Amino acid sequence: MKKRTLLSMAMVATMMVATFAGCGGSREGATDTAEQPAAETTEAAAEETTTADMPGFDAGATIGVSLPWLGTQNWKEAEDMFTEQLAEAGYNPIVQAADQKVTQQQQQIESMIENGAKVIVVGPVDGSQLGSVLEQAKEAGVYVIGYDRLLENTTGVDGVVQFGSVKTGELQAQALLQGLEEKKGEGPYNIELFGGGPADPNAPNFFTGAMSVLQPKIDDGTVVVVSGQTDFTQCATVDWDNAKAQSRMDSLLSGFYSDKDIHGVLCPNDGIARACITACENAGQEIPVVSGLDAENESVEWVWQGRQYSTVAKPTDDLVKETIEIINSLQAGNGMPSTSVTADNGVIEVPIYELPPVVVTKDNAKEVFANDPSRLDLLK
Ligand code: BGC
């Protein structure tokens, strides 16, 4: 197993500006046993886009969108928004989700190629398992854009649109520490750590970003991981399955907290946050300070009610719009927009179009969702 290292990065996306520094995470525990590629993200001199070998295509072309699953709100939103916004832009969208199954996703992408898609947008189930089908797409002259997750171990990718994943983890851990101070007074604080699905390239990066903030606090004794489980492999949640997270939390509570209070839980997304909160309630614990991700409706309500301390907003609408801008550029024969950030996906340097995630607590929720009427509506 190899370490993924994310070097310092700073970039201007076509819509927003994001700056952060951090380092990578491990891919131990990924579903495949093959050697994982290093995923280095670096700041490079803005490259001139070469459009000569990136011819445009028909304005009404078919565009494929292959999503990993619809198990969290962000993916469901992506399904709806791509379907609607690609059609509005004049394209013929084929939008499908793969139910966390690599083979199903490979087949869906193959059929998109057969159906003449000019661009295929891919949020991979497993970042490193689509190599050959994406290379097949490339050979057929199809442009491939990674969506929300890096496409690893393949030359078949033209760029990836995503929110900063190490930055997301940093925000989660900073919010956790802030909440602990605010709600529990002085440390030491008893906490537990959760990671996301090990096949998802974001998950180790979220964890690494979070540990870069938490490790110094563990080292100086402010924070105590009572179970001692601090490796990504021990903390990961296969398939981002909330039930698996809840049962791990149940075991941690019965194994380590029968005579102790738990004060905080690092959670990589909102579904896992709610599962851990529920487990704590079931065990008769006071609700600990819990981080999250996605600003799912239910968690926005929980944050507002004070049940979940924080979430991180990564607006799907912005990510979909950014992706469609890139598709429009390709359609017009202008190639990929230029960007100063690239990620080493193990085989090539992939251009990255990155947007900034935003932490949400009860204090700033109204501000963050000022332009999101459906979430603003939940704050009452
Ligand atoms: C996404 C998160 C999502 C998770 C599980 C990650 O790759 O970035 O928004 O919660 O997958 O679906």
Side-chain angles (χ1 to χ4, degrees), residues 68-75 100 124 147-149 163 165 168 196-197 200-203 206 239-240 268-271 293-294 296 314:
W69 70 324
L70 301 176
T72 50
Q73 190 176 328
N74 63 307
W75 297 113
Q100 295 281 34
Y147 175 85
D148 192 76
R149 300 176 173 180
F163 285 87
S165 54
T168 297
D200 171 358
N202 284 336
F206 294 159
D239 284 344
W240 289 95
N269 78 353
D270 284 344
L293 169 68
D294 289 337
E296 293 198 342
K314 48 194 274 289

Side-chain angles (χ1 to χ4, degrees), residues 130-141:
L130 295 174
S132 51
V133 72
L134 297 182
E135 280 149 30
Q136 225 173 290
K138 270 245 111 158
E139 270 160 38

Side-chain angles (χ1 to χ4, degrees), residues 58-189:
D58 191 81
T62 295
I63 308 292
V65 179
S66 171
L67 304 173
W69 70 324
L70 301 176
T72 50
Q73 190 176 328
N74 63 307
W75 297 113
K76 184 73 193 112
E77 287 172 346
E79 182 191 45
D80 295 343
M81 288 173 185
F82 271 120
T83 305
E84 200 182 304
Q85 294 180 28
L86 282 170
E88 264 168 26
Y91 299 111
N92 170 38
I94 307 176
V95 183
Q96 292 179 323
D99 198 23
Q100 295 281 34
K101 295 185 182 76
V102 172
T103 318
Q104 189 169 323
Q105 185 161 43
Q106 286 164 339
Q107 287 163 354
Q108 287 176 344
I109 293 171
E110 267 163 26
S111 109
M112 288 170 188
I113 302 170
E114 278 160 24
N115 281 299
K118 295 296 179 197
V119 181
I120 302 181
V121 176
V122 184
V125 170
D126 184 319
S128 62
Q129 293 294 300
L130 295 174
S132 51
V133 72
L134 297 182
E135 280 149 30
Q136 225 173 290
K138 270 245 111 158
E139 270 160 38
V142 181
Y143 299 117
V144 175
I145 304 175
Y147 175 85
D148 192 76
R149 300 176 173 180
L150 185 62
L151 295 166
E152 300 169 297
N153 234 349
T154 182
T155 55
V157 51
D158 295 293
V160 173
V161 184
Q162 64 178 173
F163 285 87
S165 54
V166 172
K167 178 69 183 172
T168 297
E170 290 169 3
L171 292 177
Q172 290 171 327
Q174 282 157 3
L176 180 65
L177 291 178
Q178 176 187 311
L180 286 166
E181 239 179 79
E182 212 175 286
K183 307 273 175 202
K184 309 286 173 189
E186 280 196 5
Y189 311 114

